[in-house]
Amino acid sequence: MKQRLVVIGNGMAGARFVEDLLARGGGERWQIIMFGDEPYGNYNRILLSGVLAQSHEPSDIFINPLAWYEENDIKLHAGVRAARIDRGARVVHGMEGVTEPYDKLVLTTGSRALVPPMEGMKGKDGAPKEGLFVFRTLEDCNGIAAYASRCKKAVVIGGGLLGLEAARGLLGHGLEVNVVHLMGHLMEMQLDARGGALLQTRLEQMGLRVHLRKNTKEILGEERASGVRFEDGAKLGCDLVVVSAGIRPNVELAREAGLLVERGIVVGDDLATTDPHVHALGECAQHRGRTYGLVGPCWEQAQVLAERLSGRKPRATYAGSRISTKLKVMGVDLTVMGAREAVTDEDQEIEYVDKKRGVYKKLVVREGKLAGAILLGEAESATRFLHAFDRGARLPDDPAQFLFPAAEAAGPQGVLEMPDEAQVCNCNGVSKGAILASARGGKRSLKALCEATRAGTGCGSCKKDVKALLESCVGDAPAEDPSVHWYVPGVPLPKPELIREIRLRGLRSVSSVFAVLANGREDAPSKIGLASLLKTIWGKDYDDERDARFINDRVHANIQKDGTFSVVPRIYGGVTTPAELKRIAEVAERHGAKMVKITGGQRIDLLGFSKEKLPEVWRDLGMPSGHAYTKAFRTCKTCVGTDFCRYGVGDSTALGIAIEKRFQGVESPHKMKLAAAGCPRNCSEATTKDLGAVAIEGGKWEVYIGGAAGSRVRKGDVLCVVDSHDDVLKYMGRFMQYYREHAKYLERTYDFAERLGIEKLRSVLIADSEGIAPRLDADIQAAVDAYVDPWSREAAEPVHPAQFAGELKGEEPRLVPLRLVPGVRR
Amino acid sequence: MTCKLGPVDRVPLGEGKAFDISGRRVAVFRGRSGELFATQAECPHKGGPLADGIVGGGTVICPLHAYKYDLKSGRPLGNDCPVLKTWRVELDAYGEMSLLMEPA
């Protein structure tokens, strides 16, 4: 039976927590009940200013409509306030007589507007004065918008983030907007004085009026607000006042229930309150003495609690958040992180100011690392800054190189600046507008968004742009789909754990993996990836179920758009003979190849054969398979090398042939294209291959890994410099085996090399820091030894009579129905 | 109307095969747990040969562009192609398959 989980609060934190819980399979364990004050599903509060500014419709900002709750079997009390918690009986009493028992209770009550004490807030009748608003909910927003249409001049009390957002919204209604702020500069929580002043200048250029160091004491007017009076006696007339002076955690419910409350509801690293059955997270929670008012920390907390309560990681803990935030203040980009100013004498501040353009960049450097930064009026470097900050990366000795990297200035237009109709995914023709619409429509993880739009599902090179668009819609922490860490979508384990389980339980076939590790649920999209992994793990002891292979690997040829297949025989190192060429030509003619094509990998492609023809074509060619169809070692391109070339310094053709003879057919997470070049002129383009060898003067070879010249272009990294063909083969093989074991399925070497970093690879593969090099060498040798040419094997003896069959014949349809034997219908 | 398709092992376990039935092309699938399905042979997206697709969990993935369909209902999964035509396949006591030509 399911346990009952009650969540009080249906704002961004509460709904996010429930989403995270469901994504981790928590729906199997918990019956979820939610209380929400507001009578709708939940919405993105960050975009409220957009609604006020009329750049967003209220419907644009909804994250989960009411139907979402129904679909996920969540009982939502929308518009019902939770009135009391009876911790003894473990029951929540709501208004209107609702009662909900709980096994676990999660408080995500959020916060409300903090209204400083002022005179004249109420009219003579004791009701709040007309024209006086706070800015916190969709209802506030609607109220302000309706009232603003009758107004000319507004005062916003509070020059923090929320106040400026409100001001932006009001400017959009054509009002004169005055921001009144108690402190010496705007947004003092995020900005230093110089940044605040620059921001103020930018905002004033947009028409905003800013009044600093003003303490508002009174709201003027009889029944409706007509101005404000400051402590210094000065007055400012207006017909609309919005108070946005900060937030205060909603803690009353918790306090009355006897939980420990200070500024917020006190929680430990397990996000439990003083009652272990009650958790709290989000703006209402206080952790290690801090409360947070930004979404980033809320989302980190939601994820930790979801890990715990789903049972996936029952001991997950939250250790506090490093505050960094990326926002737009009235359209001005602002990214801040860590320290605003130098704290000690050793801290170094580096600033760049461009008053005219309103750009301000500041670094706070401590012990060579980024301790904090402000980036105002410029968004392009934000990701780089955040990256360096989050990872504690060491900055260059000259910090100017970090502030102004040369490449960035010349970079192409970012996806965020493109118009909506611009095509982002060039494989599937998906526009920026379509991606944004889907993200706003509720696809909040990268995986869900890519699946829904098909963007990024072709070559994958636009995924970073899709991610940037997603972040621009949902703030900078999109929902994380836990399955992105799994090796395949149908088995909930990351690659190292999956390998461990497979070895431990001796699972040698794809169907046994589904049976044991996926509750017996067979998942078609996972089959090919599992087959590749099992073959790497077990080698010749792999139980090869042919249905787990992609069609190309079932028939050892490459399927084409018309359902025919292409045949690419292996031509070692791209070196052939007149006799071989003649034979290929004869076969092409005899069997009616529809096209004969020289490939980029220095071999010959014969196109347009039906499946039935394949064994005959192979037999007549008498050449081994070139594996042009599989996720494996493909080919090794070479240049002419030392035999004829007047520049060659190393025998690249002999090396290329040796490489190809050794590694032919070795399967891997994705294809591997290789090249060997006889001199640094690099005619065979070895530096942009998955693996490459380049001869250099002195009888040496540079071994490159992780190069790319396809959907991405990347120069490979030099893994090592060696002085013999044998050593090239040794280190290439060692890298291949490590890649086979550690890369995700369909992760090319260039993404793998970037993910791990060349230093790490050199340390493991050259310095043998983990002591695994001899084992890697032995395992790649085993894979090499296990190679059998599939063409010669299966042309003679198909694995199934129907392996190369075209269409099978059915009998003529008959009118008399067959007599069916009961019990054998399937 | 029914049409005999021959012994069940004409279709390898866990795979599909295309059949020609009086000029009509039908893809017949045999799931690993033994269930049989039949759909139109061509993917509605770009005409890919569905019988050459990957089969599993009652779905097929087209080999050309990885469009996915539910085998029983023919419904597209994660794409908005038209629903596939489907037929029922039955197995008699001798392991002979037959296709029921009325749409399933």
Side-chain angles (χ1 to χ4, degrees), chain A residues 144-167:
Chain A
I144 296 170
Y147 196 82
S149 59
R150 299 184 261 146
C151 299
K152 288 204 169 63
K153 186 171 171 185
V155 164
V156 175
I157 300 176
L161 174 61
L162 208 59
L164 294 178
E165 286 294 323

PDB file of all heavy atoms in Angstrom, chain A residues 144-167:
ATOM      1  N   ILE A 144      -2.828  45.054 -10.085  1.00  0.00           N
ATOM      2  CA  ILE A 144      -2.007  46.214 -10.455  1.00  0.00           C
ATOM      3  C   ILE A 144      -2.289  46.604 -11.910  1.00  0.00           C
ATOM      4  O   ILE A 144      -2.481  47.771 -12.241  1.00  0.00           O
ATOM      5  CB  ILE A 144      -0.500  45.894 -10.270  1.00  0.00           C
ATOM      6  CG1 ILE A 144      -0.184  45.640  -8.794  1.00  0.00           C
ATOM      7  CG2 ILE A 144       0.348  47.041 -10.803  1.00  0.00           C
ATOM      8  CD1 ILE A 144       1.215  45.080  -8.545  1.00  0.00           C
ATOM      9  N   ALA A 145      -2.318  45.591 -12.769  1.00  0.00           N
ATOM     10  CA  ALA A 145      -2.515  45.873 -14.196  1.00  0.00           C
ATOM     11  C   ALA A 145      -3.849  46.588 -14.433  1.00  0.00           C
ATOM     12  O   ALA A 145      -3.923  47.554 -15.196  1.00  0.00           O
ATOM     13  CB  ALA A 145      -2.454  44.571 -14.993  1.00  0.00           C
ATOM     14  N   ALA A 146      -4.895  46.115 -13.755  1.00  0.00           N
ATOM     15  CA  ALA A 146      -6.218  46.723 -13.945  1.00  0.00           C
ATOM     16  C   ALA A 146      -6.228  48.168 -13.457  1.00  0.00           C
ATOM     17  O   ALA A 146      -6.753  49.074 -14.103  1.00  0.00           O
ATOM     18  CB  ALA A 146      -7.278  45.901 -13.212  1.00  0.00           C
ATOM     19  N   TYR A 147      -5.585  48.387 -12.306  1.00  0.00           N
ATOM     20  CA  TYR A 147      -5.604  49.731 -11.713  1.00  0.00           C
ATOM     21  C   TYR A 147      -4.712  50.691 -12.505  1.00  0.00           C
ATOM     22  O   TYR A 147      -5.029  51.871 -12.666  1.00  0.00           O
ATOM     23  CB  TYR A 147      -5.138  49.624 -10.257  1.00  0.00           C
ATOM     24  CG  TYR A 147      -5.466  50.838  -9.422  1.00  0.00           C
ATOM     25  CD1 TYR A 147      -6.746  50.994  -8.871  1.00  0.00           C
ATOM     26  CD2 TYR A 147      -4.508  51.819  -9.177  1.00  0.00           C
ATOM     27  CE1 TYR A 147      -7.062  52.108  -8.106  1.00  0.00           C
ATOM     28  CE2 TYR A 147      -4.818  52.939  -8.419  1.00  0.00           C
ATOM     29  CZ  TYR A 147      -6.102  53.076  -7.882  1.00  0.00           C
ATOM     30  OH  TYR A 147      -6.409  54.172  -7.122  1.00  0.00           O
ATOM     31  N   ALA A 148      -3.602  50.160 -13.020  1.00  0.00           N
ATOM     32  CA  ALA A 148      -2.623  51.012 -13.696  1.00  0.00           C
ATOM     33  C   ALA A 148      -3.216  51.707 -14.915  1.00  0.00           C
ATOM     34  O   ALA A 148      -2.772  52.787 -15.292  1.00  0.00           O
ATOM     35  CB  ALA A 148      -1.405  50.179 -14.124  1.00  0.00           C
ATOM     36  N   SER A 149      -4.222  51.092 -15.514  1.00  0.00           N
ATOM     37  CA  SER A 149      -4.792  51.692 -16.711  1.00  0.00           C
ATOM     38  C   SER A 149      -5.428  53.060 -16.416  1.00  0.00           C
ATOM     39  O   SER A 149      -5.614  53.859 -17.317  1.00  0.00           O
ATOM     40  CB  SER A 149      -5.826  50.732 -17.310  1.00  0.00           C
ATOM     41  OG  SER A 149      -6.837  50.486 -16.349  1.00  0.00           O
ATOM     42  N   ARG A 150      -5.716  53.324 -15.139  1.00  0.00           N
ATOM     43  CA  ARG A 150      -6.320  54.628 -14.795  1.00  0.00           C
ATOM     44  C   ARG A 150      -5.284  55.602 -14.241  1.00  0.00           C
ATOM     45  O   ARG A 150      -5.635  56.631 -13.693  1.00  0.00           O
ATOM     46  CB  ARG A 150      -7.410  54.417 -13.731  1.00  0.00           C
ATOM     47  CG  ARG A 150      -8.539  53.529 -14.178  1.00  0.00           C
ATOM     48  CD  ARG A 150      -9.596  53.472 -13.094  1.00  0.00           C
ATOM     49  NE  ARG A 150      -9.469  52.255 -12.295  1.00  0.00           N
ATOM     50  CZ  ARG A 150      -9.732  52.198 -10.987  1.00  0.00           C
ATOM     51  NH1 ARG A 150     -10.091  53.270 -10.330  1.00  0.00           N
ATOM     52  NH2 ARG A 150      -9.625  51.053 -10.345  1.00  0.00           N
ATOM     53  N   CYS A 151      -3.999  55.209 -14.244  1.00  0.00           N
ATOM     54  CA  CYS A 151      -2.992  56.003 -13.539  1.00  0.00           C
ATOM     55  C   CYS A 151      -1.980  56.626 -14.476  1.00  0.00           C
ATOM     56  O   CYS A 151      -1.814  56.198 -15.617  1.00  0.00           O
ATOM     57  CB  CYS A 151      -2.237  55.106 -12.550  1.00  0.00           C
ATOM     58  SG  CYS A 151      -3.299  54.382 -11.310  1.00  0.00           S
ATOM     59  N   LYS A 152      -1.281  57.652 -13.930  1.00  0.00           N
ATOM     60  CA  LYS A 152      -0.235  58.316 -14.699  1.00  0.00           C
ATOM     61  C   LYS A 152       1.130  58.141 -14.046  1.00  0.00           C
ATOM     62  O   LYS A 152       2.146  58.127 -14.706  1.00  0.00           O
ATOM     63  CB  LYS A 152      -0.554  59.816 -14.785  1.00  0.00           C
ATOM     64  CG  LYS A 152      -1.734  60.138 -15.697  1.00  0.00           C
ATOM     65  CD  LYS A 152      -1.607  61.580 -16.188  1.00  0.00           C
ATOM     66  CE  LYS A 152      -2.597  61.884 -17.294  1.00  0.00           C
ATOM     67  NZ  LYS A 152      -4.003  61.760 -16.795  1.00  0.00           N
ATOM     68  N   LYS A 153       1.120  58.052 -12.697  1.00  0.00           N
ATOM     69  CA  LYS A 153       2.408  58.109 -12.019  1.00  0.00           C
ATOM     70  C   LYS A 153       2.427  57.090 -10.891  1.00  0.00           C
ATOM     71  O   LYS A 153       1.503  57.036 -10.071  1.00  0.00           O
ATOM     72  CB  LYS A 153       2.596  59.524 -11.450  1.00  0.00           C
ATOM     73  CG  LYS A 153       3.949  59.777 -10.853  1.00  0.00           C
ATOM     74  CD  LYS A 153       4.117  61.264 -10.529  1.00  0.00           C
ATOM     75  CE  LYS A 153       5.367  61.519  -9.722  1.00  0.00           C
ATOM     76  NZ  LYS A 153       5.473  62.918  -9.315  1.00  0.00           N
ATOM     77  N   ALA A 154       3.477  56.270 -10.857  1.00  0.00           N
ATOM     78  CA  ALA A 154       3.558  55.208  -9.860  1.00  0.00           C
ATOM     79  C   ALA A 154       4.801  55.375  -9.005  1.00  0.00           C
ATOM     80  O   ALA A 154       5.822  55.897  -9.456  1.00  0.00           O
ATOM     81  CB  ALA A 154       3.598  53.843 -10.553  1.00  0.00           C
ATOM     82  N   VAL A 155       4.684  54.915  -7.731  1.00  0.00           N
ATOM     83  CA  VAL A 155       5.845  54.819  -6.856  1.00  0.00           C
ATOM     84  C   VAL A 155       6.026  53.344  -6.509  1.00  0.00           C
ATOM     85  O   VAL A 155       5.070  52.679  -6.109  1.00  0.00           O
ATOM     86  CB  VAL A 155       5.653  55.653  -5.569  1.00  0.00           C
ATOM     87  CG1 VAL A 155       6.675  55.250  -4.503  1.00  0.00           C
ATOM     88  CG2 VAL A 155       5.784  57.135  -5.877  1.00  0.00           C
ATOM     89  N   VAL A 156       7.241  52.849  -6.702  1.00  0.00           N
ATOM     90  CA  VAL A 156       7.554  51.491  -6.263  1.00  0.00           C
ATOM     91  C   VAL A 156       8.480  51.602  -5.072  1.00  0.00           C
ATOM     92  O   VAL A 156       9.552  52.213  -5.170  1.00  0.00           O
ATOM     93  CB  VAL A 156       8.233  50.682  -7.387  1.00  0.00           C
ATOM     94  CG1 VAL A 156       8.657  49.309  -6.875  1.00  0.00           C
ATOM     95  CG2 VAL A 156       7.303  50.549  -8.584  1.00  0.00           C
ATOM     96  N   ILE A 157       8.067  51.070  -3.935  1.00  0.00           N
ATOM     97  CA  ILE A 157       8.914  51.124  -2.740  1.00  0.00           C
ATOM     98  C   ILE A 157       9.767  49.864  -2.716  1.00  0.00           C
ATOM     99  O   ILE A 157       9.256  48.761  -2.586  1.00  0.00           O
ATOM    100  CB  ILE A 157       8.053  51.241  -1.468  1.00  0.00           C
ATOM    101  CG1 ILE A 157       7.213  52.516  -1.538  1.00  0.00           C
ATOM    102  CG2 ILE A 157       8.944  51.223  -0.225  1.00  0.00           C
ATOM    103  CD1 ILE A 157       6.256  52.697  -0.381  1.00  0.00           C
ATOM    104  N   GLY A 158      11.067  50.053  -2.902  1.00  0.00           N
ATOM    105  CA  GLY A 158      11.979  48.918  -2.928  1.00  0.00           C
ATOM    106  C   GLY A 158      12.736  48.864  -4.235  1.00  0.00           C
ATOM    107  O   GLY A 158      12.136  48.751  -5.296  1.00  0.00           O
ATOM    108  N   GLY A 159      14.070  48.991  -4.139  1.00  0.00           N
ATOM    109  CA  GLY A 159      14.910  48.971  -5.342  1.00  0.00           C
ATOM    110  C   GLY A 159      15.711  47.694  -5.437  1.00  0.00           C
ATOM    111  O   GLY A 159      16.829  47.686  -5.948  1.00  0.00           O
ATOM    112  N   GLY A 160      15.157  46.618  -4.935  1.00  0.00           N
ATOM    113  CA  GLY A 160      15.790  45.309  -5.102  1.00  0.00           C
ATOM    114  C   GLY A 160      15.296  44.681  -6.393  1.00  0.00           C
ATOM    115  O   GLY A 160      14.614  45.319  -7.203  1.00  0.00           O
ATOM    116  N   LEU A 161      15.603  43.417  -6.562  1.00  0.00           N
ATOM    117  CA  LEU A 161      15.257  42.731  -7.797  1.00  0.00           C
ATOM    118  C   LEU A 161      13.757  42.789  -8.094  1.00  0.00           C
ATOM    119  O   LEU A 161      13.332  43.167  -9.181  1.00  0.00           O
ATOM    120  CB  LEU A 161      15.723  41.269  -7.702  1.00  0.00           C
ATOM    121  CG  LEU A 161      15.308  40.389  -8.859  1.00  0.00           C
ATOM    122  CD1 LEU A 161      15.896  40.908 -10.159  1.00  0.00           C
ATOM    123  CD2 LEU A 161      15.763  38.959  -8.614  1.00  0.00           C
ATOM    124  N   LEU A 162      12.965  42.428  -7.063  1.00  0.00           N
ATOM    125  CA  LEU A 162      11.526  42.345  -7.303  1.00  0.00           C
ATOM    126  C   LEU A 162      10.932  43.728  -7.580  1.00  0.00           C
ATOM    127  O   LEU A 162      10.058  43.893  -8.434  1.00  0.00           O
ATOM    128  CB  LEU A 162      10.869  41.698  -6.088  1.00  0.00           C
ATOM    129  CG  LEU A 162       9.590  40.935  -6.330  1.00  0.00           C
ATOM    130  CD1 LEU A 162       9.821  39.817  -7.324  1.00  0.00           C
ATOM    131  CD2 LEU A 162       9.051  40.382  -5.012  1.00  0.00           C
ATOM    132  N   GLY A 163      11.416  44.734  -6.856  1.00  0.00           N
ATOM    133  CA  GLY A 163      10.927  46.099  -7.054  1.00  0.00           C
ATOM    134  C   GLY A 163      11.200  46.572  -8.470  1.00  0.00           C
ATOM    135  O   GLY A 163      10.335  47.161  -9.128  1.00  0.00           O
ATOM    136  N   LEU A 164      12.402  46.288  -8.969  1.00  0.00           N
ATOM    137  CA  LEU A 164      12.740  46.731 -10.318  1.00  0.00           C
ATOM    138  C   LEU A 164      11.922  45.979 -11.358  1.00  0.00           C
ATOM    139  O   LEU A 164      11.562  46.528 -12.399  1.00  0.00           O
ATOM    140  CB  LEU A 164      14.241  46.548 -10.567  1.00  0.00           C
ATOM    141  CG  LEU A 164      15.134  47.443  -9.699  1.00  0.00           C
ATOM    142  CD1 LEU A 164      16.602  47.160  -9.973  1.00  0.00           C
ATOM    143  CD2 LEU A 164      14.840  48.925  -9.938  1.00  0.00           C
ATOM    144  N   GLU A 165      11.629  44.714 -11.060  1.00  0.00           N
ATOM    145  CA  GLU A 165      10.779  43.954 -11.972  1.00  0.00           C
ATOM    146  C   GLU A 165       9.380  44.569 -12.035  1.00  0.00           C
ATOM    147  O   GLU A 165       8.779  44.697 -13.100  1.00  0.00           O
ATOM    148  CB  GLU A 165      10.694  42.487 -11.525  1.00  0.00           C
ATOM    149  CG  GLU A 165      11.969  41.696 -11.795  1.00  0.00           C
ATOM    150  CD  GLU A 165      12.245  41.539 -13.279  1.00  0.00           C
ATOM    151  OE1 GLU A 165      11.285  41.374 -14.043  1.00  0.00           O
ATOM    152  OE2 GLU A 165      13.414  41.604 -13.681  1.00  0.00           O
ATOM    153  N   ALA A 166       8.867  44.949 -10.865  1.00  0.00           N
ATOM    154  CA  ALA A 166       7.550  45.605 -10.834  1.00  0.00           C
ATOM    155  C   ALA A 166       7.599  46.904 -11.618  1.00  0.00           C
ATOM    156  O   ALA A 166       6.693  47.245 -12.387  1.00  0.00           O
ATOM    157  CB  ALA A 166       7.124  45.844  -9.390  1.00  0.00           C
ATOM    158  N   ALA A 167       8.702  47.646 -11.433  1.00  0.00           N
ATOM    159  CA  ALA A 167       8.851  48.929 -12.124  1.00  0.00           C
ATOM    160  C   ALA A 167       8.848  48.737 -13.636  1.00  0.00           C
ATOM    161  O   ALA A 167       8.216  49.479 -14.374  1.00  0.00           O
ATOM    162  CB  ALA A 167      10.158  49.598 -11.681  1.00  0.00           C
TER     163      ALA A 167
END
